[in-house]
Amino acid sequence: MLLAILLPFLSFMVRGKILTGIICLILQITVIGWLPAAIWAALSLNSARADRRNEKLIRTIRQSQR
């Protein structure tokens, strides 16, 4: 999470979203764009974590129904 706030573009690139990372870098180059870029990276990180958690829950439910 700290990486998403301090270096938003790097947060995307570490997760394999290279094009999104480049767009975020262009946005954060401007001083005004830094805050939206940091918010965007933090929200994206939280969304990815929620998706993984939901997928794990769905797998667990499907296995228990067998």
Side-chain angles (χ1 to χ4, degrees), residues 4-66:
I5 294 170
L6 296 178
L7 298 170
F9 77 97
L10 195 57
S11 171
F12 285 113
M13 290 190 178
V14 167
R15 290 185 286 142
K17 298 182 176 187
I18 305 301
L19 183 61
T20 306
I22 292 169
I23 292 169
C24 188
L25 177 62
I26 293 168
L27 179 63
Q28 87 177 51
I29 287 175
T30 64
V31 176
I32 296 171
W34 191 278
L35 184 60
I39 292 170
W40 179 25
L43 289 175
S44 174
L45 181 61
N46 283 335
S47 177
R49 287 179 180 171
D51 288 345
R52 275 186 279 152
R53 185 175 53 244
N54 289 340
E55 288 173 10
K56 184 178 176 183
L57 248 150
I58 291 169
R59 269 187 269 122
T60 303
I61 290 171
R62 286 184 180 160
Q63 288 176 354
S64 68
Q65 291 177 346
R66 290 181 186 176

